[in-house]
Amino acid sequence: MVWVPDPWQWGTLPPEGVLGVQDLPAAVARIGLRPGDPVFVDPNCVVDRNLLDFVRSAVFQRLERESKRNYATDIRSLLTFLSSRGVPWRRATQQDLRDYRHWRCEAPENPGRVSGTKWNREAAAFTKLFKWGRVYPLPVDVSQGEDRAANSVSARVSWLTPRTWGLWSDIGLRGHTRAGLAVPGWESRTELRNTSFVQLLLSSGLRRQEGGALLTFELLTQRLRHGRYLHGRIAGALTRSKNSRTFYASVDAVGQVESYMESERAWAVQRAQAEGRYDRLPAMRLVTKVSHGLKPKVEWVDSNGVVSGRELSLLGWRERQWLFLEGPDGPEPVWLWLTEEGLPMVPDRWNGVFRNANLRCEEVLLTAKERAVKREFRLAEVRGRSPYATPHSARHSFALYMLILLNELFESRYGLTRKDRRDFAQLFGDPWWLVKVLLGHADVETTKRHYLDPRELHQTGERLQVARSGQRPERAPSSYSLAA
């Protein structure tokens, strides 16, 4: 399987053409393929025309680009399995799919078995393919209970206490020792960028892509009445629901981002301008105007002099990375988070930042013998000594903090009885509803199911209060096992 590249990723094609095609990018566009689309190739190295029609169909093209990649990867694995049996996919039977499911999920000889959640996603991809191909009876139908995994988990909740986040940031991002001191000779030219990003996610509850694809002029500036929080709008194109929403962040978190913009980011831009990196970019859109109002619009001129524009809420992250402003020393990227080279840091690269921070925490807090054991096989006590975080852990932590804070506000500060609380919730919404709005969920049941069982909330609140109250010791205490 190969992927259709973005226009700027084709590179220099030979003047004589490729495989007899003079202008391959234009030919690919003419048959209806878009950047990011998969092209399936059979074992004889021939493009599968039936699957090519499936990729070009409305059923597949309505998917988001990331969903296309996930579904296509899942389908490729099934096709490889069927090919090993000499079975064309249009002739696949229910028994073929049962055998494949057994291999994927249960077979002891398979070292890469998948979870029930992963199988359900694969089953959805297969169902879409077989329905489009009019294969009946359907070999697999994700709408039927017997074709879905019973052990599917809707989300893996992973949150850290405030003290654990502090330890993780100090050791993993700032290079501190177990005793909380800076390591002699530690040098991280992106320390402020990384810590600012983490604090912004912790303070706002944004997803990795939502926070990672912000533009400089989208940074929050409007203060709430008491001045402790700022609010702004997140573009619909960056969210899962594709609906714009208001988000909030603390003044301290935004101030740290502003410090990054004035120091690390400014230096990276200056170096990139001095070395001519922006002049060599294959695509650049120079922003000429950003309108305000209910539907802000961005207008630009591209490298060919073509004037264009689009609503800010409709700009996806791939388009955003090519937006620039004309600065005093040349073009400057509008993308907020930049690499050391001064180029936009795409959202996926934050996974690497978190991974490196996790590894450094393990290196400092665990012995060599403990590190030699894979994380999933370590004892809980060992895992609890080394905090582990992902970008989504910040979102889970934000949700948990807000739930506890709002419940304490309802019960302690207002002194509401159960009846008073029910009446208050009917008028203004209960804490779950408020957190649902902050996270951008469409249904409050999603918030409850994904983040915390309401019955556990009180007990968890007490544990967090204990975690907040003490001084941080030299090594991570057992309470850090909450991050596991």
Side-chain angles (χ1 to χ4, degrees):
M1 186 168 62
V2 295
W3 304 92
V4 178
D6 287 299
W8 53 86
Q9 293 178 327
W10 281 94
T12 304
L13 299 175
E16 65 273 14
V18 179
L19 301 176
V21 181
Q22 189 65 32
D23 189 349
L24 186 57
V28 168
R30 278 197 300 271
I31 64 175
L33 291 175
R34 302 173 183 174
D37 282 349
V39 178
F40 294 90
V41 182
D42 67 21
N44 297 319
C45 298
V46 177
V47 173
D48 189 309
R49 292 192 175 186
N50 286 326
L51 291 171
L52 187 63
D53 289 339
F54 169 67
V55 171
R56 296 188 300 168
S57 69
V59 171
F60 192 82
Q61 288 299 326
R62 279 197 294 264
L63 298 173
E64 290 295 321
R65 183 164 173 170
E66 190 63 26
S67 296
K68 289 181 180 180
R69 176 172 289 274
N70 292 335
Y71 276 29
T73 303
D74 296 338
I75 290 172
R76 176 182 59 183
S77 297
L78 175 63
L79 295 175
T80 302
F81 174 82
L82 294 175
S83 178
S84 69
R85 291 187 163 192
V87 178
W89 68 268
R90 286 183 180 274
R91 296 183 183 178
T93 65
Q94 292 176 339
Q95 186 60 51
D96 290 324
L97 268 294
R98 282 195 291 268
D99 292 344
Y100 180 69
R101 176 179 177 178
H102 173 75
W103 168 256
R104 290 290 281 163
C105 302
E106 301 171 11
E109 60 271 24
N110 180 7
R113 284 174 288 179
V114 300
S115 65
T117 303
K118 178 67 165 63
W119 168 256
N120 286 345
R121 192 192 79 182
E122 293 185 7
F126 306 153
T127 303
K128 192 176 291 292
L129 172 65
F130 289 129
K131 281 187 175 181
W132 174 86
R134 298 181 180 179
V135 179
Y136 294 107
L138 286 173
V140 62
D141 187 353
V142 74
S143 65
Q144 301 298 318
E146 59 269 21
D147 286 338
R148 294 182 60 84
N151 62 340
S152 173
V153 179
S154 59
R156 180 178 296 175
V157 178
S158 172
W159 49 268
L160 287 73
T161 66
R163 189 171 52 179
T164 310
W165 275 112
L167 180 77
W168 182 85
S169 297
D170 285 347
I171 294 178
L173 301 179
R174 297 188 175 95
H176 288 186
T177 65
R178 182 193 296 263
L181 303 175
V183 175
W186 167 265
E187 181 180 0
S188 176
R189 292 182 292 273
T190 58
E191 177 182 315
L192 188 52
R193 180 200 67 187
N194 298 341
T195 54
S196 299
F197 179 78
V198 171
Q199 289 303 314
L200 180 64
L201 262 57
L202 275 172
S203 175
S204 64
L206 293 176
R207 296 183 178 91
R208 180 196 62 191
Q209 179 171 290
E210 294 169 347
L214 288 173
L215 304 179
T216 53
F217 52 76
E218 288 180 308
L219 192 62
L220 304 87
T221 56
Q222 296 178 300
R223 288 180 179 247
L224 297 180
R225 184 175 60 181
H226 296 293
R228 294 179 59 186
Y229 276 82
L230 302 168
H231 66 96
R233 296 286 288 177
I234 195 72
L238 302 179
T239 68
R240 286 188 178 177
S241 65
K242 302 308 172 189
N243 294 318
S244 300
R245 74 173 190 274
T246 300
F247 74 103
Y248 304 85
S250 69
V251 172
D252 291 341
V254 175
Q256 191 168 341
V257 177
E258 291 174 341
S259 297
Y260 154 70
M261 293 176 63
E262 295 171 0
S263 54
E264 280 184 10
R265 188 182 187 278
W267 296 331
V269 170
Q270 290 175 2
R271 288 195 299 269
Q273 290 173 334
E275 296 174 10
R277 289 199 184 101
Y278 300 144
D279 299 331
R280 298 191 296 268
L281 290 178
M284 179 186 290
R285 295 173 175 178
L286 201 60
V287 175
T288 57
K289 181 181 179 181
V290 180
S291 65
H292 300 283
L294 295 177
K295 295 183 178 180
K297 183 177 180 181
V298 181
E299 298 180 5
W300 64 76
V301 179
D302 65 17
S303 55
N304 296 319
V306 178
V307 178
S308 187
R310 191 169 175 79
E311 281 187 27
L312 182 59
S313 64
L314 300 179
L315 281 174
W317 72 264
R318 289 179 177 83
E319 291 183 276
R320 288 165 166 252
Q321 63 182 320
W322 303 114
L323 295 178
F324 283 72
L325 284 171
E326 187 64 53
D329 300 314
E332 300 178 2
V334 183
W335 189 276
L336 177 58
W337 309 105
L338 303 181
T339 65
E340 290 184 66
E341 293 76 25
L343 301 174
M345 182 168 173
V346 297
D348 287 352
R349 290 191 60 177
W350 285 108
N351 290 345
V353 172
F354 278 72
R355 187 182 307 113
N356 290 336
N358 292 330
L359 292 174
R360 172 155 179 77
C361 287
E362 291 181 358
E363 181 181 351
V364 172
L365 298 171
L366 301 182
T367 65
K369 184 177 179 180
E370 290 169 337
R371 293 197 303 272
V373 180
K374 289 186 177 181
R375 177 176 171 79
E376 54 267 29
F377 296 120
R378 293 173 188 159
L379 296 175
E381 179 186 356
V382 176
R383 291 201 307 269
R385 290 206 302 271
S386 177
Y388 181 90
T390 66
H392 216 65
S393 300
R395 182 168 166 86
H396 283 144
S397 300
F398 166 82
L400 181 61
Y401 302 158
M402 293 306 299
L403 280 171
I404 292 173
L405 176 65
L406 291 170
N407 273 280
E408 288 180 351
L409 184 66
F410 273 44
E411 294 177 1
S412 303
R413 182 171 299 181
Y414 290 161
L416 300 180
T417 64
R418 181 171 298 182
K419 180 179 180 303
D420 292 337
R421 179 168 174 161
R422 184 174 62 250
D423 295 339
F424 191 92
Q426 289 176 349
L427 289 173
F428 303 106
D430 64 9
W432 284 107
W433 184 87
L434 293 171
V435 173
K436 181 213 75 159
V437 172
L438 292 172
L439 294 174
H441 288 158
D443 186 357
V444 70
E445 292 303 319
T446 302
T447 310
K448 293 179 179 180
R449 185 172 64 251
H450 280 227
Y451 291 92
L452 195 67
D453 189 308
R455 293 168 296 181
E456 299 176 1
L457 184 59
H458 182 71
Q459 180 183 2
T460 306
E462 292 180 346
R463 293 164 72 184
L464 278 183
Q465 288 298 334
V466 172
R468 285 196 187 103
S469 61
Q471 295 295 323
R472 190 180 75 195
E474 291 186 2
R475 58 184 289 172
S478 59
S479 63
Y480 290 147
S481 61
L482 297 175

